[in-house]
C-alpha cells in the first residue's frame, strides 16, 4: 500500500471543501443558482443535479476515492460552469470565473498525480 503524502491529503481536503460548501449553499439558498441558470435560458431545476454532483464528488475527493476520475470530472465541471460567471461588467462574477479556471488547473494536476500513484 502506498502511503499518501500529508500535503496531498490536505490539498484534496481543501479542494473538496469548496465543492461540499457549494452543495450546502445550493441546498440552503438555491435561488441564486437558479437565477444564474435562468439568465442563461436554462431551467432552474438544474441546480439539484449540480448539488448532488458537488456533494458526491466533494465527498469522493475528500475520501480519496477514484481521485483521478473525480478530479477530471470536477475540472470539467469548473470549466463548464465558469460560463455562468463570465460577466465582464461584474468584477465579483469575473473573480469567480477566474477562480473556476484556477481550481480546474489544480484539479488537472491532482488528476495527473493520482494517475502516477
Amino acid at each position: 500500500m502506498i502511503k499518501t503524502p500529508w500535503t496531498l491529503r490536505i490539498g484534496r481536503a481543501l479542494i473538496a471543501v469548496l465543492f461540499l460548501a457549494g452543495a450546502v449553499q445550493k441546498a440552503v439558498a438555491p435561488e441564486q443558482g437558479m437565477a444564474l441558470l435562468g439568465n442563461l435560458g436554462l431551467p432552474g431545476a438544474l441546480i439539484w443535479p449540480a448539488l448532488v454532483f458537488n456533494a458526491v464528488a466533494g465527498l469522493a475527493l475528500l475520501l480519496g476515492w477514484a481521485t483521478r476520475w473525480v478530479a477530471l470530472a470536477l475540472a470539467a465541471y469548473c470549466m463548464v460552469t465558469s460560463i455562468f460567471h463570465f460577466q465582464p461588467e461584474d468584477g465579483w462574477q469575473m473573480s469567480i470565473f477566474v477562480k473556476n479556471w484556477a481550481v480546474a488547473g489544480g484539479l488537472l494536476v491532482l488528476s495527473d498525480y493520482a494517475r502516477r500513484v
Side-chain angles (χ1 to χ4, degrees):
M1 182 168 142
I2 298 174
K3 183 172 164 59
T4 304
W6 67 270
T7 52
L8 178 60
R9 287 193 308 270
I10 291 173
R12 264 194 353 246
L14 290 171
I15 295 172
V17 166
L18 178 68
F19 293 99
L20 293 170
V24 170
Q25 181 183 26
K26 288 170 182 63
V28 172
E31 302 81 17
Q32 185 178 10
M34 292 173 127
L36 277 173
L37 291 165
N39 289 342
L40 292 172
L42 297 169
L46 287 175
I47 199 76
W48 305 118
L51 180 155
V52 171
F53 177 73
N54 277 229
V56 170
L59 189 58
L61 202 60
L62 183 66
L63 298 174
W65 182 78
T67 300
R68 178 179 182 205
W69 302 111
V70 171
L72 280 175
L74 285 169
Y77 176 83
C78 285
M79 292 176 203
V80 170
T81 60
S82 71
I83 62 168
F84 303 135
H85 304 286
F86 186 77
Q87 300 174 27
E89 69 285 351
D90 185 336
W92 182 253
Q93 291 297 321
M94 289 306 292
S95 70
I96 296 170
F97 173 81
V98 172
K99 180 240 358 151
N100 276 11
W101 283 93
V103 171
L107 287 160
L108 291 174
V109 170
L110 177 59
S111 174
D112 186 59
Y113 180 83
R115 179 182 61 85
R116 297 168 191 242
V117 294

